[in-house]
Amino acid sequence: MEESKNHILQTALLLFLEKSYKAVTFKELMEQTGFSKGAFFHYFKNKKEIFEAVIDMYLGHFMAIDFTKLPQTNLREFLDAYFPTARKMRTGFLPLELVNATNRYALMFEALRILPDFKSKVTRDEENTLAAWTSLIANARSRQEIKTVMPDEQLARLFIDASHGIVIHSIMTDNVEAIETEALSSWNNLYLLVKA
Amino acid sequence: MEESKNHILQTALLLFLEKSYKAVTFKELMEQTGFSKGAFFHYFKNKKEIFEAVIDMYLGHFMAIDFTKLPQTNLREFLDAYFPTARKMRTGFLPLELVNATNRYALMFEALRILPDFKSKVTRDEENTLAAWTSLIANARSRQEIKTVMPDEQLARLFIDASHGIVIHSIMTDNVEAIETEALSSWNNLYLLVKA
DNA sequence: TTTTGCATACCGACCATTCGGTATGTTTTG
DNA sequence: CAAAACATACCGAATGGTCGGTATGCAAAA
């Protein structure tokens, strides 16, 4: 039961990652999962409920990072630990090559438009992220690791927006392989600007 | 002829902005334009060709900014002039409220996945943007407006990525109205960090 | 100057296919 | 044997696309 349902959800996630909601059909879902149509309607009420379940799972496993697993006082250590930790969170769950940046963002936008409840979850996630960074910055400042007149939250925003922006820029320049490297480079530049 | 075709394209753009390619149907296109199905197939070979034409028009009128219309040596003036210029480019063409950030990015992602040629155009656009910013930074540095050890292009990236990232962050925090304000604030913070 | 011929612009009925969804099985499992 | 886990057959609606037709304009021919 739980196994079949998970199999359906993982397969559906891969499809929804590469195509829009409407573009994914039961035909494909059946082919990719090996299940018949009856199985789908046994576990889910309709197509939208499958999509909702997929997004729920996706949000839990892929979107936000668990900041408690990262250094919370030392900014330098935080930056260096970020991507290894992020990568570890996701491995073992899905073929990560398919979960590339373009598809991840496309899926987020699709969910934002289709699922009314999704927006508030994303908002909460992003606010938590901002809070975590802000607290980190404040700690780094009080430890005199950094020194600047910029308020904590605004500096936190510079780091966060840089990481979002690098993804978009990398997508647009067809250079998604370099996202981690470029993010580290930009974070480092920011860091040097505010280092005490 | 040209008028009818434009009417179709503008109406189709609005639909493709708010829904995915597959989710937009001829039924809706007919209702919104007032044209019959025959008209569409008179002007276009099929649905995909309509989408392509829409994206072509969209790219020309909405995406990139004309950097020649902006100050190219003074960074401060450039930042202040950016959004007024950008806004001017777009007015008079479509109801801009509908062309909000979420829909614009969603359309870009959809086009990236559906139209094979789109990626290269976006890439070229983004590379031009980077070149323009880099040149601007170089000028500002040689005028001693700014002073930092960071290379021109990397500093340009910080500004560009900040603007992309702010859009994403604003979408995720459901705060798209504030995009311009926040971008100006972040740009200003960056500016203060590197000002001579 | 009128008529003929043809191209353009558009309509709407029609078509095959595909879609999501249901109703009814059959098999497996506890 | 009863309930859960599927499979199969089928349905109505919607989809993208076609096709024959018409109304209008415009240029060449008479």
Side-chain angles (χ1 to χ4, degrees), chain B residues 61-78:
Chain B
H61 284 257
F62 280 90
M63 292 272 295
I65 285 228
D66 184 0
F67 284 94
T68 65
K69 295 236 168 71
L70 284 164
Q72 297 180 50
T73 55
N74 189 310
L75 179 55
R76 181 72 260 169
E77 287 176 8
F78 177 94

Side-chain angles (χ1 to χ4, degrees), chain B residues 1 4 36 38 42-43:
Chain B
M1 145 83 193
S4 302
S36 73
H42 173 69
Y43 290 110

Side-chain angles (χ1 to χ4, degrees), chain B:
Chain B
M1 145 83 193
E2 205 57 22
E3 196 175 340
S4 302
K5 204 168 175 178
N6 275 337
H7 179 222
I8 288 179
L9 288 179
Q10 294 202 17
T11 313
L13 171 57
L14 291 182
L15 285 171
F16 285 129
L17 274 167
E18 57 177 318
K19 318 171 92 173
S20 71
Y21 173 76
K22 281 266 184 189
V24 174
T25 69
F26 277 101
K27 188 163 167 270
E28 287 170 297
L29 284 168
M30 289 159 61
E31 287 167 1
Q32 300 283 332
T33 57
F35 281 117
S36 73
K37 190 173 281 190
F40 289 89
F41 286 91
H42 173 69
Y43 290 110
F44 305 95
K45 208 172 91 238
N46 49 34
K47 191 184 174 187
K48 183 150 287 175
E49 206 176 276
I50 299 176
F51 186 70
E52 281 179 31
V54 164
I55 293 297
D56 260 13
M57 175 188 70
Y58 176 72
L59 242 182
H61 284 257
F62 280 90
M63 292 272 295
I65 285 228
D66 184 0
F67 284 94
T68 65
K69 295 236 168 71
L70 284 164
Q72 297 180 50
T73 55
N74 189 310
L75 179 55
R76 181 72 260 169
E77 287 176 8
F78 177 94
L79 299 179
D80 292 331
Y82 187 89
F83 285 106
T85 306
R87 231 179 298 123
K88 214 174 293 172
M89 264 201 69
R90 300 174 191 165
T91 46
F93 187 62
L94 268 186
L96 269 200
E97 312 77 57
L98 297 176
V99 194
N100 65 57
T102 312
N103 291 346
R104 273 172 41 208
Y105 274 81
L107 180 58
M108 187 186 79
F109 280 101
E110 185 78 345
L112 277 175
R113 298 203 287 195
I114 293 183
L115 304 179
D117 295 352
F118 186 64
K119 187 181 272 185
S120 63
K121 293 180 189 168
V122 171
T123 298
R124 198 161 33 79
D125 247 45
E126 188 71 359
E127 279 165 356
N128 288 340
T129 300
L130 177 58
W133 276 89
T134 304
S135 147
L136 168 68
I137 298 282
N139 289 338
R141 192 196 302 271
S142 68
R143 284 180 45 259
Q144 291 171 343
E145 182 185 1
I146 61 175
K147 176 169 159 43
T148 165
V149 295
M150 207 187 306
D152 294 337
E153 186 172 316
Q154 291 187 32
L155 183 51
R157 281 294 302 273
L158 281 186
F159 278 95
I160 294 174
D161 293 341
S163 63
H164 283 311
I166 280 157
V167 175
I168 299 296
H169 181 85
S170 300
I171 288 173
M172 293 175 85
T173 52
D174 200 13
N175 192 31
V176 287
E177 324 82 36
I179 287 181
E180 284 194 21
T181 317
E182 306 229 321
L184 275 178
S185 158
S186 275
W187 280 354
N188 199 48
N189 280 329
L190 277 177
Y191 184 77
L192 292 178
L193 285 177
V194 298
K195 197 175 75 164

